[in-house]
């Protein structure tokens, strides 16, 4: 009976601390993966990993940053795995795979990109510019500008120094600015010079 009570207490703590960030996790995952189904899978995998390692979460610390770090790490690991698969496929000169080999993740990357736009509030032009960024730049923009994390929190989530976060964010914003200047003018926005 005591084991069940402890398990219920642990489950309730996880629900209270981590699951309240479900919408934010999904929004970030959608912008990272650019696909609704992959975003759902990413969030589910991150939450499962969070649940499995919940005993390592220190009560009183920033659970939002902790669960986002799991999400980002899961995304980056998946991106590396898909890149390895893509490299493998590119090396095949005859474009066929050996019998019995099937790369599920590579197949999923061909999903309908319109699905991801339906759940976002960004214009197609802005979404396309964000998607064109390298993943390490896209992640810091999503965490900073769309999820409102501080530089310190982003550094903890991504696992790099604050200076690296600031540098990536500066470079990402500069690239977005270059891509979106005409779009901003068309929307009636006047941009100030960046030094």
């Amino acid at each position: 009976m005591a084991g069940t009570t402890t398990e219920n207490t642990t489950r309730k703590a996880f629900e209270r601390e981590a699951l309240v960030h479900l919408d934010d996790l999904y929004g970030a995952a959608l912008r990272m993966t650019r696909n609704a189904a992959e975003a759902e899978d990413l969030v589910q995998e991150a939450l499962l990993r969070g649940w499995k390692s919940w005993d390592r979460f220190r009560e009183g610390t920033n659970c939002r940053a902790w669960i986002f770090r799991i999400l980002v790490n899961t995304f980056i690991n998946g991106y590396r795995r898909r890149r390895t698969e893509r490299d493998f496929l590119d090396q095949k000169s005859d474009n066929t795979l050996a019998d019995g080999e099937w790369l599920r993740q590579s197949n999923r990357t061909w999903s309908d990109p319109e699905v991801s736009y339906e759940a976002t509030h960004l214009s197609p032009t802005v979404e396309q510019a964000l998607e064109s960024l390298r993943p390490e730049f896209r992640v810091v923009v999503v965490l900073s500008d769309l999820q409102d994390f501080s530089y310190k929190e982003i550094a903890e989530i991504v696992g790099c120094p604050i200076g690296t976060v600031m540098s990536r964010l500066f470079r990402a914003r500069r690239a977005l600015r270059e891509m979106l200047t005409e779009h901003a003018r068309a929307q009636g926005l006047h941009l100030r010079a960046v030094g």
Side-chain angles (χ1 to χ4, degrees), residues 27-180:
L30 186 60
R31 287 185 173 86
M32 286 185 241
T33 64
R34 301 171 298 201
N35 179 285
E38 287 183 27
E40 290 173 5
D41 290 347
L42 177 60
V43 170
Q44 183 176 2
E45 187 173 346
L47 288 173
L48 181 60
R49 288 179 184 203
W51 171 249
K52 286 180 178 179
S53 61
W54 185 245
D55 60 321
R56 291 184 285 192
F57 173 71
R58 291 182 312 223
E59 192 173 335
T61 60
N62 187 342
C63 186
R64 185 170 186 257
W66 181 80
I67 197 73
F68 265 86
R69 181 172 189 162
I70 294 171
L71 180 83
V72 169
N73 287 341
T74 304
F75 168 72
I76 290 170
N77 291 337
Y79 173 78
R80 287 181 184 144
R81 184 174 51 248
R82 285 189 303 277
R83 195 165 115 203
T84 301
E85 291 170 356
R86 202 169 34 252
D87 291 345
F88 174 76
L89 291 173
D90 289 345
Q91 290 174 2
K92 294 296 218 176
S93 60
D94 61 355
N95 292 329
T96 61
L97 293 173
D99 288 339
E101 289 189 61
W102 181 64
L103 302 174
R104 181 175 52 109
Q105 283 300 111
S106 292
N107 187 39
R108 290 176 62 194
T109 60
W110 297 103
S111 298
D112 184 8
E114 292 177 1
V115 173
S116 65
Y117 173 70
E118 292 174 5
T120 67
H121 299 289
L122 300 176
S123 75
T125 304
V126 174
E127 192 72 43
Q128 183 179 11
L130 185 61
E131 289 175 11
S132 72
L133 295 176
R134 291 188 352 218
E136 62 270 20
F137 294 141
R138 187 178 337 126
V139 165
V140 295
V141 169
V142 167
L143 293 174
S144 174
D145 298 340
L146 301 176
Q147 294 298 324
D148 296 321
F149 280 105
S150 69
Y151 292 147
K152 181 181 179 197
E153 290 171 323
I154 295 169
E156 291 171 7
I157 291 168
V158 177
C160 67
I162 290 176
T164 303
V165 169
M166 294 170 68
S167 173
R168 288 179 184 175
L169 196 53
F170 174 80
R171 291 170 62 192
R173 286 174 176 164
R174 184 176 59 197
L176 287 170
R177 181 182 183 85
E178 289 172 9
M179 289 184 271
L180 296 171

